[in-house]
Amino acid sequence: MKQDTLGWRAKFGVLGPSTNTIVQPDFEGMRPRGVTNHYSRIFTPNAKAVSNEASRAGTEVIAGNTLDAVRSIMTCEPHYLVMGMSAVTFFDGRKGADRFVRMVEDEAGVRVSVGSHACAAALEAYGGIRRIAILTPYWPAINAEVRRYFGEMGFEVVRDVALECRSWIAIAEVTTETLRDTLKRLDGDDVDAIVQVGTNLSMVRLAAAAEMWLGKPVIAINTATYWHALRANSIIDQMDGFGRLLADF
């Protein structure tokens, strides 16, 4: 069988909101030799998420436009899909996540890694984690969906922070200082690990650093999702700079 000249190990089709500016460079930074990422943007107006209701409605628009992006990316015949958005993959708990995966895979004819299941798999990979804290750019109504999902997956959410970003683009504008301070607020002896959700937050490098000064797993969703996609394709390359998940597991 003929192989792609650059993607001779795997061609990944990456799907993310058109407003997202973080996923693409994050995934490129974690890409091993012989793997290529091919980005398909899910049409997403830069919704002004000024309330729980507006935030949820904006997220539903992204979900509704997903399959158009799937059909577009499949024209380059990727081996696997990587979902570069997270909120809708947590909706309606574990069954909702499974339903979303089936919808995408039925349309694409290939498998997909999604943020919710990837984060749960990452927590299991570390081992011994049951109590977690959660950081998101969302509003409380969406955080409730994230808490529900992790609860159904067997984890206790001790506390969470919703940064209540006012638009999709504003998520990428959250500063390292704000994120660092929020991690410190979330940490405590009652927490085994911290999970960051929201693919347009720039957290992959900060999470890796935070693992060292907090002394516990800090999982950035973009790291977890790309790690999950690599391992699902038997690509076991380990790399430094992105935390223990990619370095050790």
Side-chain angles (χ1 to χ4, degrees):
M1 185 176 67
K2 292 184 178 180
Q3 293 178 323
D4 188 272
T5 304
L6 296 181
W8 49 271
R9 299 173 77 187
K11 291 190 297 186
F12 285 167
V14 179
L15 301 113
S18 55
T19 50
N20 190 304
T21 56
I22 300 300
V23 164
Q24 190 168 0
D26 273 1
F27 285 1
E28 278 300 297
M30 293 181 277
R31 181 178 61 83
R33 183 173 180 270
V35 177
T36 51
N37 301 326
H38 308 281
Y39 204 87
S40 182
R41 292 186 173 273
I42 303 165
F43 177 71
T44 308
N46 185 32
K48 304 302 180 184
V50 295
S51 67
N52 281 312
E53 293 74 18
S55 181
R56 175 82 187 219
T59 303
E60 296 288 2
V61 169
I62 301 174
N65 291 335
T66 296
L67 292 186
D68 285 340
V70 171
R71 287 186 281 269
S72 178
I73 196 61
M74 290 311 299
T75 61
C76 76
E77 299 185 3
H79 303 113
Y80 196 85
L81 298 183
V82 191
M83 191 60 59
M85 65 168 177
S86 57
V88 298
T89 73
F90 290 93
F91 284 5
D92 299 325
R94 182 173 189 167
K95 289 182 179 179
D98 289 342
R99 185 168 58 249
F100 182 84
V101 168
R102 285 196 303 271
M103 178 188 75
V104 172
E105 292 184 343
D106 286 348
E107 180 65 37
V110 298
R111 293 180 300 153
V112 63
S113 286
V114 300
S116 53
H117 285 345
C119 285
L123 289 168
E124 293 293 349
Y126 276 92
I129 296 173
R130 281 296 169 260
R131 300 171 299 170
I132 64 174
I134 295 170
L135 162 61
T136 86
Y138 306 137
W139 285 66
I142 296 181
N143 267 34
E145 298 283 356
V146 178
R147 292 196 308 271
R148 173 185 172 183
Y149 171 84
F150 281 115
E152 291 183 6
M153 296 299 288
F155 301 98
E156 177 189 352
V157 180
V158 176
R159 54 186 159 271
D160 65 289
V161 169
L163 294 176
E164 298 186 8
C165 291
R166 295 282 173 156
S167 72
W168 301 136
I169 288 176
I171 295 173
E173 297 169 349
V174 177
T175 66
T176 298
E177 290 74 21
T178 294
L179 295 172
R180 184 185 61 226
D181 292 345
T182 304
L183 288 173
K184 291 178 179 178
R185 286 168 50 201
L186 285 168
D187 189 32
D189 292 339
D190 55 345
V191 169
D192 301 321
I194 299 174
V195 180
Q196 172 261 317
V197 174
T199 60
N200 209 24
L201 275 181
S202 181
M203 278 283 293
V204 296
R205 300 284 186 180
L206 176 60
E211 285 194 327
M212 291 187 286
W213 44 262
L214 292 179
K216 64 185 61 176
V218 180
I219 296 172
I221 194 166
N222 288 350
T223 305
T225 306
Y226 203 76
W227 163 84
H228 189 270
L230 291 172
R231 301 304 184 254
N233 287 274
S234 301
I235 298 170
I236 58 173
D237 299 47
Q238 296 172 307
M239 62 186 73
D240 296 324
F242 296 97
R244 286 187 58 211
L245 190 62
L246 270 175
D248 296 345
F249 304 111

